[in-house]
Amino acid sequence: MDDVSAHGHPHGHAHGHADGRARLSLDLTPVHPNGGEVARDITEESGDGAAGGASGETITLEQKVLAKNEDLAGRNRRWLVAQGIVAVNVMSSPGAGKTTLLERTIGDLAGRRPVSVVEGDQETMLDADRIRRTGCPVVQVNTGAGCHLDAEMMRGALTTLSPAPGSLVLVENVGNLVCPALFDLGERSRVVVISVTEGSDKPLKYPYMFAAADLIVINKIDLLPYVDFDVAQCERYARSVNPHVRVLVVSATTGEGMGDWYGWVAEQG
């Protein structure tokens, strides 16, 4: 992975484990794109009767983290395209069924094309262990206090995985409907998974996430008889923030609708 691995990893390092598991440990200190920590501009304002001549401070955090991330994401994307690798960023709130969706996808696509997985969580190896039991190569990225993956974490994961040319890389982002939408990883496509155990109004409550999606997967439809969830209304809300987004309705548990999901994955390249 020449373009990706040619740069150092000051904030992410791959570590081997005695049982063969791979984990990335990340230092999440914000970094200015020109190097160093994020700059803090502090302006003192004088006030009447204030001891020491200052009644308050206006603290501005100059955040250019996204600019640095965009640059790294571009490098990731160029490398992935050159290798013919399709990376799909799967995002959702916690418990929407991302891991189950990936487990079934890996099993059903076995023999069609090589698949590897990047697992994002704040802590534990639990999801990576579930994926590993399918026989699929996987690397766990633990973000600690961080609520999302970023392009540098993705770069480290790709270096560790070394996915085969022409393969599919499925990225299970940290369970969160806010932050992951802001950080490009260099992926080909973005998928938002929502389960019927959540409210139909999630696209209105978290519009940026749904507006950033190439595909919305409504999961756990086998539970529809037991929950108050309006599929048609959820689709209308989703298209109110993203008029051209595709919506698929599936059950990763029973397999219902999964053929449409595999068809969409095949369309990505």
Side-chain angles (χ1 to χ4, degrees), residues 109-198:
L109 293 185
R112 301 191 198 179
R113 71 187 303 177
V115 181
S116 56
V117 172
V118 177
E119 277 290 345
D121 269 312
Q122 289 189 322
E123 291 294 344
T124 81
M125 297 283 290
L126 295 175
D127 286 348
D129 288 341
R130 286 176 60 182
I131 297 298
R132 186 171 291 104
R133 285 193 288 271
T134 70
C136 178
V138 59
V139 62
Q140 178 78 50
V141 180
N142 289 139
T143 63
C147 57
H148 60 86
L149 298 177
D150 63 25
E152 187 166 8
M153 299 175 195
M154 180 70 166
R155 179 180 66 180
L158 290 171
T159 301
T160 301
L161 280 173
S162 189
S167 64
L168 172 67
V169 175
L170 297 171
V171 181
E172 182 174 353
N173 217 313
V174 179
N176 187 312
L177 282 177
V178 181
C179 304
L182 300 174
F183 287 82
D184 185 6
L185 307 180
E187 69 270 36
R188 168 67 176 82
S189 305
R190 290 181 169 190
V191 176
V192 176
V193 180
I194 178 173
S195 75
V196 302
T197 56
E198 304 174 68

Side-chain angles (χ1 to χ4, degrees), residues 61-77:
L61 300 181
E62 182 187 355
Q63 297 187 357
K64 294 187 178 178
V65 174
L66 287 177
K68 178 174 184 276
N69 188 81
E70 290 291 324
D71 177 64
L72 291 174
R75 297 180 191 180
N76 290 348
R77 183 170 289 107

Side-chain angles (χ1 to χ4, degrees), residues 203-204 235-243:
L204 298 183
E235 289 192 37
R236 287 194 297 271
Y237 286 155
R239 292 198 171 97
S240 73
V241 298
N242 191 343

